Amino acid sequence: MVKSLVAVCVSACLLLSLNACTQDKDANMALTDTTEQSHTLRIAAAANLSDVLPHIIDSYQADNSSSAQNVSSISDIEVTYASSGKLYAQIKAGAPYDIFLSANQAFPAKLADENSADVTSKERKLTKPFTYTRGQLALYSVSKPLNDFTPRSLGNVFTSADFTQDSKVAIANPDLAPYGASAKAYLQSQDMYSKLNAQKSLIQSENIGQAFQYAHTGSVDYGFVAQSQLVAIKAKPEQFITLLPASYPAILQDGIIVNNTDQAADFTDYLRSKAGQQHFLQAGYLAVQ
């Protein structure tokens, strides 16, 4: 009887120990799963997205946290803003970004082409480039009211009495900046590019940000800028005219997933969703299908 009682006690102790070990193991596995789920999503984003991307991220995280099915995709999101060329160079050097959102289509396409041709970089898990938004071009001036002109009569600005031999127009470098290339194409369609160039009216800036600064500070009379820049500063209606989208080459911005994870795919899907595109529309961009 005593032996049986001892055996029962020993068996009970063993069961309790095994149960405790199992609970510890389950807890450790849960901790591991949580750590994996809280992976930080790292985004390399073109500088022109600094006004709109934070709002998209906030909405994305809010939508995910309210949906039990998407809890596993919630993560911390870190964004590095810089020129597309600089970010491209960082990715080529091995920077640990998950997503690259460029200001043009060239850099994502270049990354994809180079990755497919380079055996040593195959582990980067790049996907195909995708278009996530379309920029709008506008003419902006803080010193010359533009109320008398419309998008269709915008070319008359450069032949009006207010436009003299001393008038200056800022334009981003057409060889480097998509907005500059589109502005040049627009002026060529109006038979004005060669004329303005010849009379030294065109002031070429390094990028669209600098073109905006030239116009915003009054250093030039006019500037071809991004509509999103004007929305961000709440520019007055008389200070700008938004060009007709059909009057210049489309300014398409592409992205690419550098590290193909579920979280990266989920976020880029959100960018192109109706909710994500609504943010771009409100910020002065055009939606993409």
Side-chain angles (χ1 to χ4, degrees), residues 155-169:
N156 296 335
V157 168
F158 308 110
T159 58
S160 67
D162 279 345
F163 198 90
T164 68
Q165 289 288 331
D166 296 326
S167 296
K168 302 298 179 186
V169 182

Side-chain angles (χ1 to χ4, degrees), residues 139-149 222 235-241:
L139 187 68
Y140 175 48
S141 176
V142 295
S143 58
K144 308 285 186 180
L146 295 169
N147 339 30
D148 294 335
F149 303 94
Y222 304 91
K236 299 176 182 178
E238 65 270 18
Q239 293 180 324
F240 70 92
I241 295 179

Side-chain angles (χ1 to χ4, degrees), residues 11-59:
S11 298
C13 289
L14 286 172
L15 286 171
L16 288 172
S17 298
L18 287 171
N19 186 51
C21 290
T22 301
Q23 289 178 346
D24 288 343
K25 184 179 179 180
D26 290 342
N28 289 333
M29 289 178 65
L31 181 60
T32 301
D33 290 343
T34 301
T35 301
E36 290 176 354
Q37 291 175 4
S38 62
H39 164 74
T40 298
L41 188 66
R42 294 180 172 85
I43 302 174
N48 71 298
L49 298 175
S50 60
D51 290 316
V52 63
L53 193 55
H55 298 295
I56 294 176
I57 290 172
D58 287 345
S59 293

Side-chain angles (χ1 to χ4, degrees), residues 68-83:
Q69 294 180 344
N70 290 329
V71 170
S72 62
S73 67
I74 298 173
S75 65
D76 292 330
I77 299 178
E78 292 181 0
V79 184
T80 298
Y81 296 100
S83 68

Side-chain angles (χ1 to χ4, degrees), residues 260-280:
N260 194 8
T261 63
D262 289 342
Q263 291 174 323
D266 191 57
F267 182 77
T268 55
D269 284 345
Y270 188 83
L271 275 182
R272 292 171 286 175
S273 70
K274 185 176 181 180
Q277 289 301 300
Q278 187 60 36
H279 283 285
F280 282 116

Side-chain angles (χ1 to χ4, degrees), residues 174-252:
D175 296 327
L176 300 176
Y179 282 91
S182 289
K184 177 181 177 179
Y186 170 78
L187 288 172
Q188 288 174 327
S189 72
Q190 301 295 312
D191 295 323
M192 292 300 302
Y193 184 79
S194 296
K195 178 182 177 181
L196 293 176
N197 218 13
Q199 67 188 39
K200 298 182 179 180
S201 292
L202 291 179
I203 303 298
Q204 195 171 109
S205 62
E206 291 184 12
N207 49 53
I208 192 63
Q210 192 175 73
F212 173 78
Q213 285 302 318
Y214 286 166
H216 189 59
T217 58
S219 299
V220 298
D221 300 282
Y222 304 91
F224 282 96
V225 304
Q227 177 75 13
S228 58
Q229 294 169 319
L230 302 177
V231 172
I233 65 165
K234 296 181 173 62
K236 299 176 182 178
E238 65 270 18
Q239 293 180 324
F240 70 92
I241 295 179
T242 305
L243 277 68
L244 295 171
S247 67
Y248 57 91
I251 304 170
L252 300 176

